[in-house]
Amino acid sequence: MQAVQAGDLEAFEELYQRYRRPLFGFLHRYLRDAADTEDVFQETFLRVFEQRHRFAPGNAFATWLYTIARNAGLDRLKRAERRVSLDPRAHVLLPSEPSSVDDVLDRRQQDQTVRRALDTLAQAEREVLLLRAEGLPYEAIARVVAATPAAVRQRFHRALRAALEGRLTR
Amino acid sequence: MHAPPDCKRSRSTLPDLATGDPAARAAGLVHLEQCPTCSAEYRDLVAAWDALQRLPAAEPPEWLDQAVLEAIRRRAPIARPVRVLWPALGPAARGAFAAALLVVLATLLLPFDRLAALCEQVLLRLRLSAVWPAVPFLLAGFLYGALAHLVVSPFLVRRAGPAGSGQATIDGVLFALALLPVAWVTCEPFTVGVAGGLLAGLVAGALSGVLGGTRLVAWGAR
């Protein structure tokens, strides 16, 4: 990140390659709209580059990246004030493992169920659940969503249980 | 009917346990082995968490990658980063060091009195007889100043904009200060006025350096 702060484009491209997939996946699930995902994804990386001098060395880059992405995504959600169902054909979805035709159909049905369950969650709970699924610890998520780690843990527990009630597993 | 205290405690950590939090495992697993209710909820939470994590990840399309990187390249203030030889030093210290180094090198390669004599010969050959003895020295000073900025400016100029000109000016002043004692000794047979003429040449060199520095910044900026 220090090289990026000095204006090194090659270093920025390395960071981009490392985080492009996880960030896009997070935004895709968070915003549930293909065009919004693309816009916010692009906006996030542009902000990262333009505000690179604000990044404090010693902090985790992922936390900073997801903070920018979450804020940009939140702005977009507030502005749009809409909940558009995501068209799964809009982006290439990477299957986690190769499967038979039946497995693929089962998986597709299950994925739709998971997405519907996520749709039932409140925005504050959904974002915590998705950030946790990205592997961020409570402390990092707390910085991203500007809350205490205890509050984040509580939200996560609520979200996972609510998702379960929304038949996440059936 | 209320849940037993152990169940209450267990339920408060079940989501952490289901996501594989090692801190929650130690206390949670013992209770799960004895409590079918909590154990069933734990299994459901694990299944929910697995389903969420198995959700296929969307891949950014290729055109988006290209668009983002292209936009970054357009916004990048520096097309190619200028290598700074002494990053630990500040710009002023680097400028002073570079100027002193250049004086030594220039004196070794082409001593100032030789350069002044050369200028005098050129002026005579061009039939531009020196109307004032200081003119060759003024010209030599100008050449030294211009040379200094050609060499030193790339090390100092790092960012686009007016800051580049400012750094080149500082560089010019530092160079003039570093060269003045050398010039003073070299010009001993002449008067103080000659040294003043030399200084004027150095200032002219500094101005050329400002222009040179600005050009370098503009070349590096886009």
Side-chain angles (χ1 to χ4, degrees):
Chain A
M1 189 54 198
Q2 282 179 336
V4 174
Q5 286 182 316
D8 188 337
L9 283 178
E10 284 180 15
F12 179 83
E13 288 189 19
E14 278 178 31
L15 271 181
Y16 178 81
Q17 293 301 336
R18 190 169 158 193
Y19 287 100
R20 59 187 274 282
R21 268 182 64 178
L23 183 73
F24 194 84
F26 165 73
L27 289 171
H28 193 245
R29 291 168 188 169
Y30 186 46
L31 299 172
R32 296 168 295 168
D33 179 82
D36 283 351
T37 299
E38 290 161 4
D39 288 350
V40 174
F41 177 81
Q42 185 164 6
E43 190 181 336
T44 299
F45 276 109
L46 290 179
R47 279 195 199 175
V48 163
F49 190 77
E50 284 172 351
Q51 299 177 6
R52 62 193 185 279
H53 298 297
R54 290 191 188 176
F55 176 75
N59 289 343
F61 175 74
T63 307
W64 189 57
L65 176 73
Y66 279 99
T67 305
I68 292 173
R70 181 258 183 184
N71 290 340
L74 198 58
D75 284 348
R76 183 60 61 108
L77 287 175
K78 282 178 182 169
R79 215 181 310 148
E81 287 183 342
R82 64 171 190 256
R83 296 170 81 87
V84 179
S85 297
L86 187 66
D87 178 2
R89 293 166 300 180
H91 288 125
V92 180
L93 298 175
L94 300 175
S96 48
E97 58 199 40
S99 311
S100 69
V101 175
D102 285 345
D103 285 348
V104 168
L105 290 174
D106 284 349
R107 174 62 61 82
R108 201 169 281 174
Q109 196 174 3
Q110 194 184 41
D111 290 346
Q112 285 175 356
T113 311
V114 173
R115 287 199 180 88
R116 274 200 296 274
L118 283 174
D119 284 352
T120 65
L121 299 178
Q123 177 265 325
E125 290 172 353
R126 198 173 75 248
E127 67 184 8
V128 166
L129 191 66
L130 293 176
L131 288 167
R132 190 81 183 90
E134 291 299 319
L136 266 66
Y138 289 137
E139 290 74 17
I141 298 173
R143 282 197 288 275
V144 172
V145 302
T148 64
V152 165
R153 182 171 179 264
Q154 204 175 4
R155 269 183 224 171
F156 174 70
H157 286 197
R158 235 180 7 241
L160 195 57
R161 287 206 163 95
L164 186 61
E165 285 167 16
R167 295 288 178 262
L168 194 62
T169 59
R170 307 290 156 82
Chain B
M1 186 176 158
H2 294 290
D6 276 0
C7 286
K8 273 190 179 174
R9 201 179 311 130
S10 172
R11 280 176 58 80
S12 70
T13 58
L14 276 183
D16 294 330
L17 192 61
T19 55
D21 185 344
R25 286 184 75 83
L29 287 177
V30 178
H31 175 74
L32 289 184
E33 285 172 4
Q34 301 161 350
C35 178
T37 312
C38 289
S39 185
E41 187 182 351
Y42 168 72
R43 279 196 301 273
D44 282 348
L45 286 170
V46 168
W49 183 242
D50 284 350
L52 180 68
Q53 294 206 299
R54 279 203 309 268
L55 203 61
E59 175 89 353
E62 200 179 325
W63 67 262
L64 186 60
D65 287 336
Q66 288 172 354
V68 171
L69 294 174
E70 185 55 38
I72 295 295
R73 282 186 205 110
R74 280 201 307 270
R75 288 171 191 225
I78 317 164
R80 61 181 84 177
V82 177
R83 301 288 175 201
V84 177
L85 292 183
W86 315 285
L89 300 174
R94 285 201 300 272
F97 185 77
L101 184 68
L102 191 72
V103 168
V104 172
L105 286 176
T107 309
L108 287 175
L109 294 173
L110 189 60
F112 186 78
D113 54 348
R114 283 272 188 87
L115 182 64
L118 197 63
C119 288
E120 196 170 13
Q121 282 182 9
V122 170
L123 289 171
L124 285 172
R125 189 160 292 181
L126 292 174
R127 295 181 181 176
L128 298 171
S129 57
V131 290
W132 190 42
V135 170
F137 289 89
L138 192 143
L139 192 57
F142 182 89
L143 290 174
Y144 259 44
L147 178 68
H149 286 87
L150 280 176
V151 174
V152 175
S153 292
F155 296 116
L156 296 175
V157 178
R158 297 187 67 192
R159 292 178 65 82
S165 305
Q167 284 182 344
T169 308
I170 294 170
D171 170 33
V173 172
L174 288 169
F175 177 78
L177 288 174
L179 188 58
L180 196 57
V182 179
W184 193 275
V185 171
T186 312
C187 300
E188 201 181 4
F190 297 92
T191 60
V192 176
V194 175
L198 172 67
L199 189 60
L202 287 171
V203 171
L207 289 175
S208 75
V210 171
L211 295 174
T214 307
R215 186 181 60 78
L216 282 169
V217 170
W219 166 74
R222 298 284 170 196

